[in-house]
Coordinates of all heavy atoms in Angstrom, one line a residue:
K899 N -9.8 23.6 27.6 CA -10.4 23.8 26.4 C -9.7 22.9 25.4 O -8.6 23.0 25.1 CB -10.3 25.3 25.9 CG -11.0 25.6 24.6 CD -10.8 27.0 24.2 CE -11.5 27.3 22.9 NZ -11.3 28.7 22.5
F900 N -10.5 21.9 24.9 CA -9.9 20.9 24.0 C -10.8 20.7 22.7 O -11.9 21.1 22.8 CB -9.7 19.6 24.7 CG -10.9 18.9 25.1 CD1 -11.6 17.9 24.3 CD2 -11.5 19.1 26.3 CE1 -12.7 17.3 24.6 CE2 -12.7 18.5 26.7 CZ -13.3 17.5 25.9
Q901 N -10.2 20.3 21.7 CA -10.9 20.0 20.4 C -10.7 18.6 20.0 O -9.7 18.0 20.2 CB -10.3 21.0 19.3 CG -10.5 22.4 19.6 CD -10.1 23.3 18.5 OE1 -9.3 22.8 17.6 NE2 -10.5 24.5 18.4
V902 N -11.8 18.1 19.3 CA -11.7 16.7 18.8 C -12.1 16.9 17.3 O -13.1 17.4 16.9 CB -12.7 15.8 19.5 CG1 -12.6 14.4 18.9 CG2 -12.5 15.8 21.0
G903 N -11.1 16.4 16.5 CA -11.3 16.5 15.0 C -11.2 15.2 14.3 O -10.9 14.2 14.9
A904 N -11.5 15.2 13.0 CA -11.5 14.0 12.2 C -10.4 14.0 11.1 O -10.2 15.1 10.5 CB -12.9 13.8 11.5
L905 N -9.7 12.9 11.0 CA -8.7 12.8 9.9 C -9.4 12.1 8.7 O -9.9 11.0 8.8 CB -7.6 11.9 10.4 CG -6.4 11.8 9.5 CD1 -5.7 13.2 9.2 CD2 -5.3 10.9 10.1
I906 N -9.5 12.9 7.6 CA -10.2 12.4 6.5 C -9.3 11.6 5.6 O -8.5 12.1 4.8 CB -10.8 13.5 5.7 CG1 -11.6 14.5 6.6 CG2 -11.7 13.0 4.5 CD1 -12.8 13.9 7.2
E907 N -9.4 10.3 5.7 CA -8.5 9.3 4.9 C -9.4 8.4 4.0 O -8.8 7.8 3.1 CB -7.7 8.5 5.9 CG -6.8 9.3 6.8 CD -6.3 8.4 7.9 OE1 -7.0 8.1 8.9 OE2 -5.1 8.0 7.8
I908 N -10.6 8.3 4.3 CA -11.5 7.4 3.6 C -12.5 8.2 2.7 O -13.0 9.2 3.2 CB -12.4 6.5 4.6 CG1 -11.4 5.7 5.5 CG2 -13.4 5.7 3.9 CD1 -12.1 5.0 6.6
P909 N -12.6 7.8 1.4 CA -13.4 8.6 0.5 C -14.9 8.8 1.0 O -15.5 9.9 0.8 CB -13.4 7.7 -0.8 CG -12.1 7.1 -0.8 CD -11.8 6.8 0.7
R910 N -15.4 7.8 1.8 CA -16.7 8.0 2.3 C -16.8 9.2 3.3 O -17.8 9.9 3.3 CB -17.2 6.7 3.0 CG -18.6 6.7 3.5 CD -19.0 5.5 4.3 NE -20.4 5.4 4.5 CZ -21.2 6.1 5.3 NH1 -20.6 7.0 6.1 NH2 -22.5 5.9 5.4
A911 N -15.8 9.3 4.1 CA -15.7 10.5 5.0 C -15.6 11.8 4.2 O -16.3 12.8 4.6 CB -14.5 10.3 5.9
A912 N -14.8 11.8 3.2 CA -14.7 13.0 2.3 C -16.0 13.4 1.7 O -16.2 14.6 1.5 CB -13.6 12.7 1.3
L913 N -16.8 12.4 1.4 CA -18.1 12.7 0.8 C -19.2 13.0 1.8 O -20.3 13.4 1.3 CB -18.5 11.6 -0.2 CG -17.6 11.4 -1.4 CD1 -18.0 10.1 -2.1 CD2 -17.8 12.5 -2.4
T914 N -18.9 12.9 3.0 CA -20.0 13.1 4.1 C -19.5 14.2 5.1 O -20.0 14.2 6.2 CB -20.4 11.8 4.8 OG1 -19.2 11.2 5.4 CG2 -21.0 10.8 3.9
T915 N -18.7 15.1 4.6 CA -18.2 16.1 5.6 C -19.3 17.1 5.9 O -19.1 17.9 6.9 CB -17.0 16.9 4.9 OG1 -17.3 17.3 3.6 CG2 -15.7 16.1 4.9
N916 N -20.4 17.2 5.2 CA -21.5 18.0 5.6 C -22.1 17.6 6.9 O -22.6 18.4 7.7 CB -22.6 18.0 4.5 CG -23.1 16.6 4.2 OD1 -22.3 15.6 4.1 ND2 -24.4 16.4 4.0
E917 N -22.0 16.3 7.2 CA -22.4 15.7 8.5 C -21.3 15.8 9.5 O -21.5 16.1 10.7 CB -22.9 14.3 8.3 CG -24.2 14.2 7.5 CD -25.4 14.9 8.1 OE1 -25.5 15.0 9.3 OE2 -26.2 15.5 7.3
L918 N -20.1 15.4 9.1 CA -18.9 15.4 10.0 C -18.6 16.8 10.6 O -18.3 16.9 11.7 CB -17.7 14.9 9.3 CG -17.4 13.4 9.4 CD1 -16.3 13.0 8.4 CD2 -17.1 13.0 10.8
A919 N -18.7 17.8 9.7 CA -18.4 19.2 10.2 C -19.3 19.7 11.3 O -19.0 20.5 12.1 CB -18.5 20.1 9.0
K920 N -20.5 19.1 11.4 CA -21.5 19.5 12.5 C -21.0 19.0 13.8 O -21.4 19.6 14.9 CB -22.9 18.9 12.1 CG -23.5 19.5 10.9 CD -24.8 18.8 10.6 CE -25.4 19.3 9.3 NZ -26.6 18.6 8.9
V921 N -20.3 17.9 13.9 CA -19.9 17.3 15.1 C -18.4 17.4 15.4 O -17.9 17.2 16.6 CB -20.3 15.8 15.2 CG1 -21.8 15.7 15.2 CG2 -19.8 15.0 14.0
A922 N -17.6 17.7 14.4 CA -16.1 17.8 14.6 C -15.7 19.2 14.8 O -16.3 20.1 14.2 CB -15.4 17.2 13.4
D923 N -14.7 19.4 15.6 CA -14.1 20.8 15.8 C -13.2 21.2 14.7 O -13.0 22.4 14.4 CB -13.4 20.9 17.1 CG -14.3 20.6 18.3 OD1 -15.4 21.2 18.4 OD2 -13.9 19.8 19.2
F924 N -12.6 20.3 14.0 CA -11.7 20.6 12.9 C -11.7 19.3 12.0 O -12.0 18.2 12.4 CB -10.3 21.0 13.3 CG -9.6 20.0 14.1 CD1 -8.7 19.1 13.4 CD2 -9.7 19.9 15.4 CE1 -8.0 18.1 14.1 CE2 -9.0 18.9 16.2 CZ -8.1 18.0 15.5
L925 N -11.2 19.5 10.7 CA -11.0 18.4 9.8 C -9.6 18.5 9.2 O -9.1 19.6 9.0 CB -12.0 18.5 8.7 CG -13.5 18.4 9.0 CD1 -14.4 18.6 7.7 CD2 -13.9 17.1 9.7
Q926 N -9.0 17.3 9.0 CA -7.7 17.3 8.4 C -7.7 16.1 7.4 O -8.1 15.0 7.7 CB -6.6 17.1 9.4 CG -5.2 17.3 8.8 CD -4.2 17.4 9.9 OE1 -3.6 16.4 10.3 NE2 -3.9 18.6 10.4
F927 N -7.2 16.4 6.2 CA -7.0 15.3 5.2 C -5.7 14.6 5.4 O -4.7 15.2 5.5 CB -7.0 15.9 3.8 CG -8.3 16.5 3.4 CD1 -8.6 17.9 3.4 CD2 -9.4 15.7 2.9 CE1 -9.8 18.4 3.1 CE2 -10.6 16.2 2.5 CZ -10.8 17.6 2.6
G928 N -5.8 13.3 5.6 CA -4.7 12.4 5.6 C -4.4 12.0 4.2 O -4.9 11.0 3.7
S929 N -3.6 12.8 3.5 CA -3.5 12.7 2.1 C -2.9 11.4 1.6 O -3.2 10.9 0.5 CB -2.7 13.9 1.5 OG -1.4 14.0 2.0
N930 N -2.0 10.8 2.3 CA -1.4 9.5 1.9 C -2.4 8.4 1.8 O -2.6 7.8 0.7 CB -0.3 9.1 2.8 CG 0.9 10.0 2.8 OD1 1.1 10.8 1.8 ND2 1.8 10.0 3.8
D931 N -3.2 8.2 2.9 CA -4.2 7.2 2.8 C -5.4 7.5 1.9 O -5.9 6.7 1.3 CB -4.7 6.9 4.2 CG -3.9 5.9 5.0 OD1 -3.4 5.0 4.3 OD2 -3.8 6.0 6.2
L932 N -5.7 8.8 1.8 CA -6.8 9.2 0.9 C -6.4 9.0 -0.5 O -7.3 8.5 -1.3 CB -7.1 10.7 1.1 CG -8.3 11.2 0.4 CD1 -9.6 10.5 0.8 CD2 -8.5 12.7 0.6
T933 N -5.2 9.2 -0.9 CA -4.7 8.9 -2.2 C -4.7 7.4 -2.4 O -5.1 6.9 -3.5 CB -3.2 9.4 -2.4 OG1 -3.3 10.9 -2.3 CG2 -2.7 9.0 -3.7
Q934 N -4.3 6.6 -1.5 CA -4.2 5.2 -1.6 C -5.6 4.6 -1.8 O -5.8 3.8 -2.7 CB -3.6 4.6 -0.3 CG -3.5 3.1 -0.3 CD -2.7 2.6 0.9 OE1 -1.7 1.9 0.7 NE2 -3.2 2.9 2.1
M935 N -6.6 5.1 -1.1 CA -7.9 4.5 -1.2 C -8.7 5.1 -2.4 O -9.6 4.4 -2.9 CB -8.7 4.8 0.1 CG -8.1 4.1 1.3 SD -9.2 4.2 2.7 CE -8.1 3.8 4.0
T936 N -8.4 6.3 -2.8 CA -9.1 6.9 -4.0 C -8.5 6.4 -5.3 O -9.3 6.0 -6.2 CB -9.0 8.4 -3.9 OG1 -9.5 8.9 -2.7 CG2 -9.8 9.1 -5.1
C937 N -7.2 6.3 -5.4 CA -6.6 5.8 -6.6 C -6.4 4.3 -6.7 O -6.2 3.8 -7.8 CB -5.2 6.4 -6.8 SG -5.2 8.3 -6.9
G938 N -6.6 3.6 -5.6 CA -6.5 2.2 -5.6 C -5.0 1.6 -5.6 O -4.8 0.5 -6.0
F939 N -4.1 2.5 -5.2 CA -2.7 2.1 -5.2 C -2.3 1.8 -3.7 O -2.6 2.5 -2.8 CB -1.7 3.2 -5.7 CG -1.8 3.4 -7.2 CD1 -2.0 4.7 -7.7 CD2 -1.7 2.3 -8.1 CE1 -2.1 4.9 -9.0 CE2 -1.7 2.5 -9.4 CZ -1.9 3.8 -9.9
S940 N -1.5 0.7 -3.5 CA -0.8 0.5 -2.2 C 0.4 1.4 -2.1 O 1.3 1.4 -3.0 CB -0.4 -1.0 -2.1 OG 0.4 -1.2 -1.0
H941 N 0.4 2.2 -1.0 CA 1.5 3.1 -0.8 C 2.8 2.4 -0.7 O 3.9 2.9 -1.0 CB 1.2 3.9 0.4 CG 2.2 5.0 0.6 ND1 3.3 4.9 1.5 CD2 2.4 6.3 0.0 CE1 4.0 6.1 1.5 NE2 3.5 6.9 0.6
E942 N 2.8 1.1 -0.2 CA 4.0 0.4 0.1 C 4.6 -0.4 -1.1 O 5.8 -0.5 -1.2 CB 3.7 -0.7 1.2 CG 3.6 -0.1 2.6 CD 2.3 0.7 2.8 OE1 1.3 0.4 2.2 OE2 2.3 1.6 3.6
D943 N 3.8 -0.9 -2.0 CA 4.3 -1.7 -3.1 C 3.7 -1.5 -4.5 O 3.5 -2.4 -5.2 CB 4.2 -3.2 -2.7 CG 2.8 -3.6 -2.2 OD1 1.9 -2.9 -2.6 OD2 2.7 -4.6 -1.5
S944 N 3.4 -0.2 -4.8 CA 2.9 0.0 -6.1 C 3.8 0.9 -7.0 O 3.4 1.4 -8.0 CB 1.5 0.7 -6.0 OG 0.6 -0.2 -5.5
Q945 N 5.0 1.1 -6.5 CA 5.9 2.0 -7.2 C 6.2 1.7 -8.7 O 6.2 2.5 -9.5 CB 7.3 2.2 -6.5 CG 8.1 3.4 -6.8 CD 7.3 4.7 -6.5 OE1 6.8 4.9 -5.4 NE2 7.1 5.5 -7.5
L946 N 6.3 0.4 -8.9 CA 6.6 -0.1 -10.3 C 5.4 0.3 -11.2 O 5.6 0.8 -12.3 CB 6.8 -1.6 -10.3 CG 7.0 -2.3 -11.7 CD1 8.3 -1.7 -12.3 CD2 7.0 -3.8 -11.6
I947 N 4.2 0.1 -10.7 CA 3.0 0.5 -11.5 C 2.9 2.0 -11.7 O 2.7 2.5 -12.8 CB 1.7 0.0 -10.7 CG1 1.8 -1.5 -10.4 CG2 0.4 0.3 -11.5 CD1 0.7 -2.0 -9.5
I948 N 3.1 2.7 -10.6 CA 3.0 4.2 -10.6 C 4.0 4.8 -11.6 O 3.7 5.6 -12.4 CB 3.2 4.8 -9.2 CG1 2.0 4.4 -8.3 CG2 3.3 6.3 -9.3 CD1 2.2 4.8 -6.9
D949 N 5.3 4.3 -11.6 CA 6.3 4.8 -12.5 C 5.9 4.6 -13.9 O 6.1 5.5 -14.8 CB 7.6 4.1 -12.2 CG 8.3 4.5 -10.9 OD1 7.9 5.5 -10.3 OD2 9.2 3.7 -10.4
K950 N 5.3 3.4 -14.2 CA 4.9 3.1 -15.6 C 3.7 4.0 -16.0 O 3.6 4.4 -17.1 CB 4.5 1.6 -15.7 CG 4.5 1.1 -17.1 CD 6.0 1.1 -17.6 CE 6.1 0.5 -19.0 NZ 7.4 0.6 -19.6
Y951 N 2.8 4.2 -15.0 CA 1.6 5.1 -15.3 C 2.0 6.5 -15.6 O 1.5 7.2 -16.4 CB 0.6 5.0 -14.1 CG -0.4 3.9 -14.3 CD1 0.1 2.6 -14.6 CD2 -1.7 4.1 -14.0 CE1 -0.9 1.6 -14.8 CE2 -2.6 3.1 -14.1 CZ -2.2 1.8 -14.5 OH -3.1 0.8 -14.7
V952 N 3.0 7.0 -14.8 CA 3.5 8.4 -15.0 C 4.2 8.5 -16.4 O 4.0 9.4 -17.2 CB 4.5 8.8 -13.9 CG1 5.2 10.1 -14.2 CG2 3.8 8.9 -12.6
E953 N 5.0 7.4 -16.7 CA 5.7 7.4 -18.0 C 4.7 7.4 -19.2 O 5.0 8.0 -20.2 CB 6.5 6.1 -18.0 CG 7.3 5.9 -19.3 CD 8.1 4.5 -19.3 OE1 8.5 4.1 -18.2 OE2 8.2 4.0 -20.4
N954 N 3.5 6.7 -19.0 CA 2.6 6.7 -20.1 C 1.5 7.8 -20.0 O 0.6 7.8 -20.8 CB 1.8 5.3 -20.0 CG 2.7 4.2 -20.6 OD1 2.8 4.0 -21.8 ND2 3.3 3.4 -19.7
G955 N 1.7 8.7 -19.1 CA 0.8 9.9 -19.0 C -0.5 9.6 -18.3 O -1.4 10.5 -18.4
V956 N -0.7 8.5 -17.7 CA -1.9 8.2 -16.9 C -2.0 9.2 -15.7 O -3.1 9.7 -15.5 CB -2.0 6.8 -16.4 CG1 -3.3 6.5 -15.6 CG2 -1.9 5.8 -17.6
Y957 N -0.9 9.4 -15.1 CA -0.8 10.4 -14.0 C 0.3 11.4 -14.4 O 1.4 11.0 -15.0 CB -0.5 9.8 -12.7 CG -1.6 9.1 -12.1 CD1 -1.8 7.7 -12.3 CD2 -2.5 9.7 -11.2 CE1 -2.9 7.0 -11.7 CE2 -3.6 9.1 -10.7 CZ -3.8 7.7 -10.9 OH -4.8 7.0 -10.4
F958 N 0.2 12.7 -14.1 CA 1.2 13.7 -14.4 C 2.4 13.5 -13.6 O 3.5 13.6 -14.0 CB 0.6 15.1 -14.2 CG 1.5 16.2 -14.5 CD1 2.0 16.4 -15.8 CD2 2.0 17.0 -13.5 CE1 2.9 17.4 -16.1 CE2 2.9 18.0 -13.8 CZ 3.4 18.2 -15.1
K959 N 2.2 13.2 -12.3 CA 3.3 12.9 -11.3 C 2.8 11.8 -10.4 O 1.7 11.4 -10.4 CB 3.5 14.1 -10.4 CG 4.2 15.3 -11.1 CD 4.5 16.4 -10.1 CE 5.3 17.6 -10.8 NZ 5.5 18.7 -9.8
D960 N 3.8 11.2 -9.7 CA 3.5 10.2 -8.7 C 2.4 10.8 -7.7 O 2.7 11.8 -7.0 CB 4.8 9.9 -7.9 CG 4.6 8.8 -6.9 OD1 3.4 8.6 -6.4 OD2 5.5 8.1 -6.5
P961 N 1.2 10.2 -7.6 CA 0.2 10.8 -6.8 C 0.5 10.8 -5.3 O -0.2 11.5 -4.5 CB -1.1 9.9 -7.1 CG -0.5 8.6 -7.6 CD 0.8 9.0 -8.3
F962 N 1.5 10.0 -4.9 CA 1.9 10.0 -3.5 C 2.9 11.1 -3.2 O 3.2 11.4 -2.0 CB 2.5 8.7 -3.1 CG 1.5 7.6 -2.9 CD1 1.4 6.5 -3.8 CD2 0.5 7.6 -1.9 CE1 0.5 5.6 -3.8 CE2 -0.4 6.6 -1.8 CZ -0.5 5.6 -2.7
V963 N 3.5 11.7 -4.3 CA 4.4 12.8 -4.1 C 3.7 14.2 -4.3 O 3.9 15.1 -3.5 CB 5.6 12.7 -5.1 CG1 6.5 13.9 -5.1 CG2 6.4 11.4 -4.8
S964 N 2.9 14.2 -5.3 CA 2.1 15.5 -5.6 C 0.7 15.1 -5.8 O 0.3 14.1 -6.5 CB 2.7 16.1 -6.9 OG 2.2 17.4 -7.1
L965 N -0.2 15.8 -5.2 CA -1.7 15.5 -5.2 C -2.2 15.4 -6.6 O -1.9 16.2 -7.5 CB -2.4 16.6 -4.5 CG -2.6 16.5 -3.0 CD1 -3.2 17.8 -2.4 CD2 -3.4 15.3 -2.5
D966 N -3.0 14.3 -6.8 CA -3.7 14.0 -8.0 C -4.8 15.0 -8.1 O -5.9 14.8 -7.5 CB -4.1 12.6 -8.1 CG -5.2 12.3 -9.1 OD1 -5.0 12.9 -10.2 OD2 -6.1 11.6 -8.9
E967 N -4.6 16.1 -8.9 CA -5.6 17.2 -8.9 C -7.0 16.8 -9.4 O -8.0 17.1 -8.9 CB -5.1 18.4 -9.7 CG -6.0 19.6 -9.6 CD -5.4 20.8 -10.3 OE1 -4.1 20.8 -10.6 OE2 -6.1 21.8 -10.4
C968 N -7.0 16.0 -10.5 CA -8.3 15.6 -11.1 C -9.1 14.6 -10.2 O -10.3 14.6 -10.3 CB -8.0 15.0 -12.5 SG -7.3 16.1 -13.7
G969 N -8.4 13.8 -9.4 CA -9.1 12.8 -8.6 C -9.2 13.2 -7.2 O -10.2 13.6 -6.7
V970 N -8.0 13.0 -6.5 CA -8.0 13.3 -5.0 C -8.3 14.8 -4.8 O -9.0 15.1 -3.8 CB -6.6 12.9 -4.4 CG1 -6.6 13.1 -2.9 CG2 -6.4 11.4 -4.7
G971 N -7.6 15.6 -5.6 CA -7.8 17.1 -5.4 C -9.3 17.5 -5.6 O -9.8 18.3 -4.8
H972 N -9.9 16.9 -6.6 CA -11.3 17.2 -6.8 C -12.2 16.7 -5.7 O -13.2 17.4 -5.3 CB -11.8 16.6 -8.2 CG -13.1 17.0 -8.6 ND1 -13.5 18.3 -8.8 CD2 -14.2 16.2 -8.8 CE1 -14.8 18.3 -9.2 NE2 -15.3 17.1 -9.2
L973 N -11.9 15.6 -5.2 CA -12.6 15.0 -4.0 C -12.5 15.9 -2.8 O -13.5 16.2 -2.1 CB -12.1 13.6 -3.7 CG -12.7 12.9 -2.5 CD1 -14.3 12.7 -2.7 CD2 -12.1 11.5 -2.3
M974 N -11.3 16.4 -2.6 CA -11.0 17.3 -1.5 C -11.8 18.6 -1.6 O -12.4 19.1 -0.7 CB -9.5 17.6 -1.4 CG -8.7 16.4 -0.9 SD -6.9 16.8 -1.0 CE -6.7 18.2 0.1
K975 N -11.9 19.1 -2.9 CA -12.6 20.3 -3.1 C -14.1 20.2 -2.8 O -14.7 21.0 -2.1 CB -12.4 20.8 -4.6 CG -13.1 22.1 -4.9 CD -12.8 22.4 -6.4 CE -13.5 23.8 -6.7 NZ -13.2 24.2 -8.2
I976 N -14.7 19.1 -3.2 CA -16.1 18.8 -2.9 C -16.3 18.7 -1.4 O -17.2 19.2 -0.8 CB -16.5 17.5 -3.6 CG1 -16.5 17.6 -5.1 CG2 -17.9 17.0 -3.1 CD1 -16.7 16.3 -5.9
S977 N -15.3 18.0 -0.8 CA -15.4 17.8 0.7 C -15.3 19.1 1.4 O -16.1 19.3 2.4 CB -14.3 16.9 1.1 OG -14.3 16.6 2.5
I978 N -14.4 20.0 1.0 CA -14.3 21.3 1.7 C -15.5 22.1 1.5 O -16.0 22.8 2.5 CB -13.0 22.0 1.2 CG1 -11.8 21.2 1.6 CG2 -13.0 23.4 1.7 CD1 -10.5 21.7 1.0
N979 N -16.0 22.2 0.3 CA -17.2 23.0 0.1 C -18.4 22.5 0.9 O -19.1 23.3 1.5 CB -17.6 22.9 -1.4 CG -16.7 23.7 -2.3 OD1 -15.9 24.5 -1.9 ND2 -16.6 23.3 -3.6
Q980 N -18.6 21.2 1.0 CA -19.6 20.7 1.9 C -19.4 21.0 3.3 O -20.4 21.4 4.0 CB -19.7 19.1 1.8 CG -20.2 18.6 0.4 CD -20.4 17.1 0.5 OE1 -21.2 16.6 -0.3 NE2 -19.8 16.4 1.4
A981 N -18.2 20.9 3.8 CA -17.9 21.2 5.2 C -18.1 22.7 5.5 O -18.7 23.0 6.6 CB -16.4 20.8 5.5

Side-chain angles (χ1 to χ4, degrees):
K899 184 180 178 181
F900 65 94
Q901 296 183 344
V902 183
L905 187 61
I906 309 298
E907 303 166 282
I908 299 175
R910 188 185 192 282
L913 291 171
T914 56
T915 48
N916 56 320
E917 295 297 327
L918 268 170
K920 296 174 184 177
V921 292
D923 297 313
F924 63 91
L925 300 176
Q926 187 169 95
F927 291 100
S929 59
N930 291 342
D931 272 329
L932 187 60
T933 296
Q934 180 170 239
M935 295 191 197
T936 304
C937 297
F939 288 128
S940 168
H941 187 260
E942 285 71 29
D943 49 23
S944 292
Q945 199 57 53
L946 179 63
I947 305 171
I948 292 171
D949 289 343
K950 202 66 179 176
Y951 271 46
V952 172
E953 182 184 324
N954 284 280
V956 179
Y957 287 92
F958 180 65
K959 288 184 179 179
D960 183 337
F962 288 110
V963 173
S964 192
L965 276 171
D966 165 39
E967 185 171 350
C968 296
V970 180
H972 186 58
L973 177 61
M974 289 172 61
K975 184 178 180 179
I976 293 171
S977 183
I978 291 169
N979 288 340
Q980 286 189 159

